[in-house]
Amino acid sequence: MTQPADLGHDELVRLLTCTDPERLARLYAQADAVRRETVGSDVHLRALVEVSNVCARRCAYCGIAAYNGGLARYRMDEGAVVRAAQHAARLGLGTTVLQAGEDPALDAETVALMVRAIKESTGMAVTLSLGERSNEELALWRKAGADRYLLRFETSDDELFAQIHPPAEVGALAHAAASATAAMASATEPASRGSQPRVQEEGAMLARTSNPRFAVLESLRELGYEVGSGVMVGIPGQSFETLASDLQRFSELELDMVGIGPFIPHPDTPLGAQAMANRANGHALARLDEPSQPSQGFEPAKPTDQVPADANTTFKMLALTRLLLPGANIPATTALGVMGEEAARRQALDCGANVVMPNFTPPRFRALYSIYEGKDAESESGKVLEDLCRQIEAAGRTVGTGAGSSRSFQQRRNGQGA
Ligand code: 5AD
């Protein structure tokens, strides 16, 4: 069994800032070899069902945040969710991922019913991605049969986390429309100053000093879930030092699943508006527009530089994650696909990734689950799935069958350690 690579913080920073195409090609080849030796050639497909776009939170980057009053909201009922999962099961998928905003109406019992119905009628593995939820809810869902849980910690920099995640309000949903106006006003203000790289949400920085998602991840582990987390790449205010710490956090948490995607600015969010203005002003985020191949003779970036929200940095993160967590399941994320389409997915599969998550949200809801733009482009029709399988085979890989739980989780369950 391939051992996790012994990569310290400085070495991680060095590789993340590296722009030498030959060194990067070696990194990707090494990650690909570890992927092959550890999890084999299978690419597992997960049916993503976006159950509700109602969200009580006001995350500064997310298009379905409560402040976005212009967005029509939907919530699928149990029948629609189960039918979407059954559709995926008929097409041969072994896992359903139920994802939603932090929707208070998706209460403990409602979700438990969905999980039980999917497990009973399809036998699929069920992954939940429903935000920061209470231990009681997580325990109930686990008892109902949920196998896995995804909760990205987004960044290991507590201060940056606090700045982009205002604390949840009591009755947040009722206030969503009113706070939309205020949030958008504060969004344009720092952007117009141009030089301020971080969102200045008054009070947000003082309100929280640590990322509460780590405690949730710990609870998930104790409850016996297969645990997934991850980060966005290129959040304004994120440095290469921060990304290196993110990778070290993945190792410490011994994650079974790691989702990493580029930050895609959404114009109706404070952070998206700011990133777009920074780009217009020629700031570091202008590198969003860079071609996806590194140019020859580039100076390496500085460790404290703003991380570009681009495909290349995401590939580096995927490759390093594979080296640090050889037995993890690592998706070629939708955000990466939105940014670089089929070629980006292919490259992700070539540098450590082994999972793809086709969208099975019914088409009439899909455009409304707009956490970032361009997300609703794909479709779940049999034809799209056939194309996806063909792409996987063209990459020299096989389409996984069954539940496809991570190697690390299987080993932990068999008492062999990760
Ligand atoms: N760009 C990229 N990823 C995003 N997410 C939310 N908003 C954006 C965005 N604008 C990611 C977050 C979240 C996951 C469900 O989607 O990392 O955890």
Side-chain angles (χ1 to χ4, degrees):
M1 179 73 185
T2 311
Q3 291 303 309
D6 183 16
L7 293 164
H9 192 265
D10 292 350
E11 182 64 4
L12 291 171
V13 171
R14 235 171 38 77
L15 289 164
L16 288 167
T17 52
C18 173
T19 47
D20 172 8
E22 281 170 30
R23 179 66 192 93
L24 290 176
R26 284 209 305 281
L27 170 67
Y28 299 151
Q30 196 187 350
D32 196 41
V34 168
R35 187 271 309 154
R36 196 178 316 116
E37 286 157 20
T38 314
V39 298
S41 70
D42 276 355
V43 175
H44 300 288
L45 302 182
R46 314 305 198 196
L48 179 63
V49 181
E50 294 153 334
V51 176
S52 163
N53 73 347
V54 176
C55 191
R57 294 290 177 135
R58 296 180 293 131
C59 304
Y61 48 85
C62 184
I64 67 166
Y67 54 73
N68 193 352
L71 181 68
R73 304 285 171 167
Y74 74 90
R75 179 180 305 115
M76 292 168 65
D77 62 20
E78 187 204 326
V81 171
V82 175
R83 281 194 299 280
Q86 290 170 339
H87 177 42
R90 277 195 300 276
L91 291 171
L93 280 80
T95 297
T96 298
V97 181
L98 303 185
Q99 188 174 84
E102 278 183 36
D103 179 353
L106 281 182
D107 58 18
E109 199 45 51
T110 305
V111 174
L113 279 174
M114 291 174 179
V115 172
R116 265 187 236 112
I118 293 172
K119 300 285 302 183
E120 279 167 18
S121 70
T122 69
M124 292 171 110
V126 173
T127 303
L128 298 177
S129 177
L130 304 172
E132 292 169 40
R133 308 295 295 236
S134 71
N135 282 355
E136 291 72 34
E137 289 170 307
L138 299 174
L140 186 76
W141 299 338
R142 178 81 187 116
K143 248 175 86 184
D147 301 275
R148 310 177 190 141
Y149 203 99
L150 303 174
L151 180 67
R152 292 190 184 174
F153 61 77
E154 314 294 0
T155 174
S156 58
D157 177 339
D158 282 348
E159 200 179 301
L160 178 56
F161 184 92
Q163 286 175 332
I164 62 178
H165 296 92
E169 285 171 15
V170 180
L173 274 180
H175 296 299
S179 63
T181 328
M184 291 317 292
S186 84
T188 45
E189 196 229 336
S192 64
R193 281 205 303 272
S195 60
Q196 178 51 262
R198 289 184 172 184
V199 171
Q200 298 293 301
E201 287 238 4
E202 215 180 316
M205 221 172 107
L206 296 175
R208 288 219 204 152
T209 50
S210 67
N211 183 337
R213 297 193 182 180
F214 290 114
V216 181
L217 291 169
E218 214 168 287
S219 301
L220 290 165
R221 178 69 80 205
E222 280 164 18
L223 288 165
Y225 279 96
E226 201 172 336
V227 180
S229 192
V231 297
M232 282 178 288
V233 171
I235 311 167
Q238 183 185 53
S239 71
F240 291 98
E241 298 269 7
T242 314
L243 279 190
S245 302
D246 294 347
L247 287 163
Q248 291 181 300
R249 254 345 213 314
F250 296 164
S251 297
E252 285 160 19
L253 294 165
E254 299 181 65
L255 295 176
D256 302 306
M257 302 170 283
V258 185
I260 302 166
F263 163 62
I264 300 176
H266 186 303
D268 299 338
T269 64
L271 210 62
Q274 181 190 326
M276 286 168 169
N278 285 352
R279 181 157 42 151
N281 294 341
H283 272 247
L285 278 168
R287 295 173 71 169
L288 269 172
D289 293 328
E290 268 174 24
S292 70
Q293 290 302 317
S295 332
Q296 297 279 352
F298 250 31
E299 283 295 305
K302 290 196 221 40
T304 52
D305 277 355
Q306 166 68 47
V307 170
D310 66 3
N312 279 325
T313 315
T314 307
F315 297 140
K316 291 181 198 173
M317 285 292 285
L318 293 177
L320 291 168
T321 301
R322 174 60 69 199
L323 297 182
L324 291 168
L325 291 167
N329 278 341
I330 303 177
T333 52
T334 313
L336 191 55
V338 166
M339 186 164 277
E341 296 177 349
E342 196 184 314
R345 177 154 59 210
R346 168 68 197 260
Q347 200 169 336
L349 291 177
D350 285 347
C351 67
N354 69 324
V355 169
V356 178
M357 297 169 68
N359 196 329
F360 278 74
T361 309
R364 67 184 180 285
F365 299 130
R366 201 170 303 163
L368 298 174
Y369 201 82
S370 50
I371 51 183
Y372 44 83
E373 290 198 314
K375 230 198 95 283
D376 55 319
E378 359 82 72
S379 147
E380 97 295 6
S381 70
K383 165 87 172 65
V384 168
L385 202 66
E386 266 174 41
D387 285 349
L388 181 58
C389 292
R390 243 197 305 277
Q391 285 166 31
I392 289 168
E393 277 152 20
R397 306 283 279 278
T398 45
V399 178
T401 53
S405 69
S406 69
R407 283 291 289 191
S408 59
F409 186 75
Q410 291 169 29
Q411 287 180 329
R412 195 176 298 111
R413 203 180 36 197
N414 298 338
Q416 298 169 18

